[in-house]
Amino acid sequence: RTAEAVGAVGQVYDQADILLFCKADLSYQLTVANPHNLTFCPYSVAVYTLTSEWDKVYLSIRAPAEGVPEYLPVHEMLVSIIEEVINW
């Protein structure tokens, strides 16, 4: 949608989606520990292919939040989702 505005001459992604969701118990634990942890929700998993590698699907998550030990269970859950997809 922004290609024209930035003068893009080609596409980076062939297909791309970002799945957003929250898990109530983990989100609650994050915000009880620090109300400003609200910014960590929703969690996201990106699913995409590149125009240069259209036959390869990538799954991506954000790196664990440094200095926020309450985020570790969220990161572990996201890693387990990716592992489950890879082993499917």
Side-chain angles (χ1 to χ4, degrees), residues 14-75:
D14 182 51
Q15 300 280 326
D17 282 306
I18 298 176
L19 310 168
L20 302 172
F21 62 97
C22 281
K23 190 165 184 301
D25 60 334
L26 296 180
S27 296
Y28 178 73
Q29 291 168 12
L30 276 170
T31 57
V32 165
N34 182 340
H36 304 291
N37 286 342
L38 175 67
T39 60
F40 294 118
C41 194
Y43 321 130
S44 63
V45 176
V47 181
Y48 58 95
T49 59
L50 304 175
T51 54
S52 61
E53 297 179 289
W54 57 268
D55 59 341
K56 187 176 186 179
V57 177
Y58 290 88
L59 298 170
S60 267
I61 59 173
R62 291 184 179 134
E66 289 186 30
V68 184
E70 300 83 13
Y71 189 77
L72 188 56
V74 173
H75 184 73

